[in-house]
Amino acid sequence: MSHLDDLRAAVTAPQPVWVQFTTAYRADRFDTYLFVEGRDDVTYLLPLVRSLSKTCTGRVFPCWSKDGVLQALKDITEKSSYARRCGFVVDKDLDDVVGVRQTQDSRLLVTDHYSLESYLASEACAEVIWTDIWCMAAGDQRLQAIKTLCRKSQASLWSSALPVMAWILWHRRRNEKLHLNRTSAKKLFEIKQDGAVFRTSHCLAELRKAAADASKSPSMVELLQEARALMTMSGKARTRGKYELSIFVRVLRKALDAIQPAKGVAGGTPLQNTPLTEANCISLVAGKIAYPEIFVDFVARIASDV
């Protein structure tokens, strides 16, 4: 086989996280090792790990699911109890309302929002995109208008997404398998010109695509019961982070389109060269936006475990 054939084989048979860790770990160094759920988590947290690690070689391993992170924690605890500076991060999702209790371990961090994406859909992130990505002045009055629009759309999403999250919660309580990546926020929610967010007319049909058994669906009474349970939580704790980030990016793009100079107008230079998408948002702001204390304190503590 050629080297290219070897690479292709490696893509279809990825190394277990445990093998990656044992290959990278060096007892005589002071690297920090973080285990996270997915690739976006790596992109977001790697700059923080490197900045707080006692060496410049902080490492972040994607485990491809919450179960994968918990399995890595179990493997390292059982097979490599001597290993230091290892931290594990998982999304809270709806675990607290479902009644799932994670392992009590000082090396495990559970987010206090729904997921990592929930922290990025914020006014602070909007300002970083405005100044660092679009190269606009922080004192520009239009920035305040955009922040207001983001705040309004976020509150509107929390309200519109409540029945959607209640539907998801109903399935979670019954251990029904959901494939939420089969649909997207763009198919579930639409944004009006004033930033208000509404469910699309085919929202329920899209949700059913995510269910392993589309015939199982909550009654209206059951849906209301789940919605009442969710209303005791904050918007960021109960709303799927991917939905928040999607709406956030779409609102920013709408705002940018609204203030773009008309074609053919003198001095009508486009306001940005770097397109903002749901796919690249995290990579554009990672390391530029201030990290929440929950992450900073956790990574600093893990890095200091000598």
Side-chain angles (χ1 to χ4, degrees):
M1 291 177 65
S2 69
H3 292 302
L4 287 177
D5 289 332
D6 290 339
L7 285 173
R8 293 188 186 99
V11 170
T12 57
Q15 280 189 322
V17 175
W18 167 249
V19 175
Q20 295 179 47
F21 170 71
T22 53
T23 301
Y25 186 78
R26 294 292 182 272
D28 58 344
R29 291 179 58 87
F30 293 95
D31 297 346
T32 302
Y33 305 89
L34 205 65
F35 298 81
V36 298
E37 292 187 25
R39 186 175 287 112
D40 285 343
D41 303 328
V42 175
T43 301
Y44 178 60
L45 291 173
L46 185 55
L48 175 64
V49 173
R50 284 177 171 166
S51 69
L52 294 177
S53 178
K54 293 186 179 298
T55 71
C56 61
T57 328
R59 301 175 186 273
V60 184
F61 299 93
C63 301
W64 308 117
S65 68
K66 181 183 296 185
D67 288 341
V69 175
L70 298 176
Q71 183 61 50
L73 172 59
K74 182 175 183 291
D75 287 341
I76 289 176
T77 300
E78 294 178 354
K79 303 175 184 178
S80 186
S81 58
Y82 58 84
R84 299 295 184 93
R85 297 172 304 284
C86 296
F88 306 81
V89 180
V90 295
D91 293 334
K92 178 177 70 66
D93 301 325
L94 294 175
D95 287 352
D96 48 359
V97 68
V98 173
V100 174
R101 295 291 178 265
Q102 296 298 348
T103 304
Q104 295 299 307
D105 192 302
S106 62
R107 297 168 296 173
L108 176 66
L109 173 68
V110 181
T111 61
D112 51 3
H113 291 340
Y114 189 97
S115 65
L116 179 144
E117 291 90 348
S118 307
Y119 297 92
L120 287 168
S122 66
E123 292 180 45
C125 187
E127 182 166 350
V128 167
I129 291 171
W130 179 262
T131 57
D132 293 34
I133 309 304
W134 293 346
C135 302
M136 302 294 287
D140 193 316
Q141 291 183 349
R142 292 173 296 182
L143 174 58
Q144 296 308 314
I146 287 176
K147 286 184 176 181
T148 299
L149 187 64
C150 288
R151 188 162 57 246
K152 179 178 181 179
S153 66
Q154 187 175 67
S156 182
L157 171 66
W158 292 342
S159 176
S160 293
L162 187 58
V164 173
M165 298 311 301
W167 186 92
I168 292 172
L169 176 57
W170 184 87
H171 285 271
R172 280 287 311 274
R173 288 192 194 278
R174 289 155 182 77
N175 294 318
E176 298 285 346
K177 185 69 175 176
L178 291 175
H179 304 280
L180 295 175
N181 289 331
R182 287 180 179 174
T183 185
S184 66
K186 188 174 293 187
K187 296 178 179 179
L188 298 175
F189 306 103
E190 58 181 334
I191 307 171
K192 302 300 184 181
Q193 286 300 114
D194 63 352
V197 179
F198 293 89
R199 293 182 300 280
T200 62
S201 58
H202 49 273
C203 179
L204 181 57
E206 286 295 327
L207 280 176
R208 284 174 174 159
K209 292 179 181 179
D213 185 350
S215 66
K216 294 183 178 180
S217 190
S219 67
M220 184 59 68
V221 172
E222 291 172 324
L223 205 60
L224 286 171
Q225 289 175 340
E226 300 296 14
R228 290 192 188 100
L230 290 171
M231 287 178 69
T232 63
M233 306 162 64
S234 70
K236 280 198 172 291
R238 71 173 187 245
T239 307
R240 193 170 184 239
K242 288 185 183 298
Y243 298 159
E244 278 207 85
L245 188 61
S246 173
I247 295 298
F248 172 75
V249 169
R250 288 161 63 190
V251 166
L252 284 182
R253 290 174 62 181
K254 278 179 175 290
L256 185 68
D257 289 342
I259 62 176
Q260 285 282 17
K263 292 182 179 179
V265 175
T269 304
L271 298 182
Q272 57 107 353
N273 294 318
T274 305
L276 177 67
T277 67
E278 295 174 37
N280 70 6
C281 180
I282 295 178
S283 61
L284 287 175
V285 302
K288 296 182 177 70
I289 187 173
Y291 286 93
E293 287 185 12
I294 186 174
F295 293 120
V296 176
D297 293 346
F298 177 73
V299 174
R301 178 168 56 80
I302 294 299
S304 65
D305 182 16
V306 296

